[in-house]
Amino acid sequence: VLSAWLDLVGRGTDRLPAGLLAAAPGSAPRWPLPDTVVDRLLADPVGWFDVERDNLLGAVKLAVDWGLDEMAWELAAGPATYYDHRCLYQDWEHGHRLALVSAEAAGNVLGASMLLRGLGQLHIYRDEFDAATRTLESSVRLCQDGGDKRGEALSVAMLGTVSRVQGHYGEAAGLVGQALAI
């Protein structure tokens, strides 16, 4: 069931306007439903996410409770584009924090770095720049440890956003340049 949810979240996200926080897929299994069923369910992807909000968080909790750290982080990170478009910061944070505990306990570097990046974005939206910096720096370190160049570049670019918003334009330009080099 969780594998079907994960597949639906991915397909639903693909039907939304693009977002920078879309998670690169991990290794959790996906169980695709028939295309006719998916087309019916996701004819209005925002409407589907709206209806399934509580169930999505319940799926994250279930994955955490069952010790499925990979499934948990992917289910938590998958709806980030939806949460971003709808400004559903509490749902976003709740799912990410649940899954982060599981990912960290399991030593899941990719999952933890992705979730930290999502939480860093939330801190930016809330003007919590010190927390954003700490969270994103943690994400950068995990990405470096795990060899995730794309994740590292995104996290460094987001640190550039923090610097830019705080008026540190030279530092911001340096971080964006660093991100591009990565």
Side-chain angles (χ1 to χ4, degrees):
V1 169
L2 294 177
S3 295
W5 272 102
L6 186 56
D7 187 67
L8 283 170
V9 166
R11 290 191 190 190
T13 298
D14 289 346
R15 294 175 185 213
L16 296 174
L20 293 175
L21 298 169
S27 62
R30 284 153 176 76
W31 185 61
L33 296 171
D35 288 340
T36 55
V37 173
V38 172
D39 289 342
R40 190 182 79 241
L41 290 173
L42 299 176
D44 172 13
V46 172
W48 180 80
F49 278 109
D50 286 344
V51 168
E52 300 297 346
R53 275 177 57 195
D54 290 339
N55 293 327
L56 290 168
L57 290 172
V60 172
K61 173 110 174 56
L62 188 60
V64 168
D65 289 348
W66 286 355
L68 303 171
D69 61 283
E70 188 77 8
M71 181 68 72
W73 84 256
E74 287 196 65
L75 283 167
T81 299
Y82 163 73
Y83 294 146
D84 194 20
H85 288 309
R86 286 291 218 208
C87 300
L88 296 170
Y89 301 152
Q90 288 179 331
D91 287 5
W92 184 347
E93 181 175 20
H94 180 67
H96 273 56
R97 291 206 183 277
L98 275 173
L100 181 59
V101 171
S102 178
E104 289 177 335
N108 189 325
V109 173
L110 176 64
S113 67
M114 182 70 202
L115 295 165
L116 287 167
R117 195 163 40 257
L119 290 170
Q121 184 63 52
L122 284 171
H123 288 307
I124 291 170
Y125 285 158
R126 294 173 174 161
D127 295 335
E128 299 165 350
F129 301 121
D130 290 341
T133 299
R134 284 190 307 275
T135 303
L136 292 168
E137 286 174 347
S138 294
S139 178
V140 168
R141 282 190 299 276
L142 288 174
C143 290
Q144 289 169 339
D145 291 347
D148 178 7
K149 293 293 189 186
R150 178 183 181 273
E152 180 184 357
L154 288 170
S155 296
V156 169
M158 291 170 73
L159 284 167
T161 298
V162 172
S163 294
R164 180 186 52 78
V165 171
Q166 292 182 304
H168 307 293
Y169 302 116
E171 181 179 304
L175 288 164
V176 170
Q178 181 182 344
L180 287 170
I182 294 168

